[in-house]
Amino acid sequence: MSDNTNKRIVIKIGSSSLTSLHGEVSRRKLERLTDEIAQLKDEGHEVILVSSGAVAAGYRKLGCLTRPDSLPEKQAAASIGQGLLMEAYSELFMSHGYVASQILITRSDFSDEKRYGNARNTLHVLMERGIIPIVNENDTVTIDRLRFGDNDTLSAKVAALVDADQLIILSDIDGLYTDNPMVNPEATLVEKVTEITEEIEASAGTAGSSVGTGGMKSKIDAFKIAMASGIPSFLGKAGTPNILLDAVNGDAKGTYFDSEEEIINLNQKKRWIAFNSGPQGTVVVNEIGEHTLKEKETPIYAKEIIHFEGRFKKGDVVRIFTPNQEEIGLGVIMIDSESLAGKDIAQEEPIMVRDELVCHQDMSVSITG
């Protein structure tokens, strides 16, 4: 974590904010973005850029007139566009005296705890050396079941991974509105959000740009992760002059997301469990187990498990339910499913410990694995 003056900032920018009307990389937009990031670096801040735009940048050079719909064509376009993006970023940042690096990530990189740690270590080394990491999902190899879904989600998970001081998401809209401003002229800008309510989720809708994959709903999901991790966030319009500098200083037009409630400060282990682990099964605990998870600092014992589903091994993460089918949390299990099924374990043996349990009620928003 950086000091009170210099921040560690994760910036996400969407496809529509980087490309021209013809779907190709806009040099003017890239120059404006890199100029502002370089100024943040000059002021002593650490910056990680999560950049969309690979498919949008590459599909025309693949010979497509419009953004492709098929997965193979999207992946082929990304393989072209990613190189074009990095070439442009590297040249522009180098003109300011900064080196850029490329990090391509898949969901499986985050769901595997060792690879998750490796990604964290790599990013820390790069930041310590003054490098600007540029992160994107590896669209050339990612399959649907292993996708983050969009780079909004990826940026929030990266922010949590590196203990960021701020997450900034730049889009083609200047914040969260009470309704869709393109449909309802009475919609007003929400300047600050301290809690993601059902009303806010309803106002987010599902609309997104034709050149991107994320709409307002995906951004709200990202801010849920950031707020649960104690990371203040901002949503603003990419084309606004000095948007990044003003957002860091708290003066930008847009929406600031910052929980006013005291939340549990999750360590990296619990952040991995909560946001990235990919649970391998479910267990149902009795009332004693439920009370233990919600109220106490003691382990969950074998005798408190009344049912389980799925095949899991020791060290896997499982979802935890009450007998009433209420999901109450996630935890690392210390026994495999075969042993649990065969009752080859003492009833008084702990099978989940508090340090590796995350309860939904501990957090300002619901968590997903």
Side-chain angles (χ1 to χ4, degrees), residues 70 93 118 261 292 313 315:
S70 72
F93 280 126
N118 288 342
E261 295 182 3
T292 295
K313 61 183 183 295

Side-chain angles (χ1 to χ4, degrees), residues 155-184:
S155 67
K157 293 190 174 191
V158 169
L161 175 69
V162 300
D163 301 312
D165 297 298
Q166 187 176 23
L167 169 65
I168 298 174
I169 294 182
L170 299 181
S171 184
D172 51 7
I173 189 170
D174 51 9
L176 174 69
Y177 280 77
T178 54
D179 198 0
N180 187 340
M182 294 182 289
V183 176
N184 181 3

Side-chain angles (χ1 to χ4, degrees), residues 6 10 47 54 136 163 173 189 201 249 262 274 317 338:
N6 299 326
V10 174
V47 177
N136 194 4
D163 301 312
I173 189 170
L189 179 68
E201 294 202 64
N249 293 324
E262 183 178 350
V317 173
E338 290 185 9

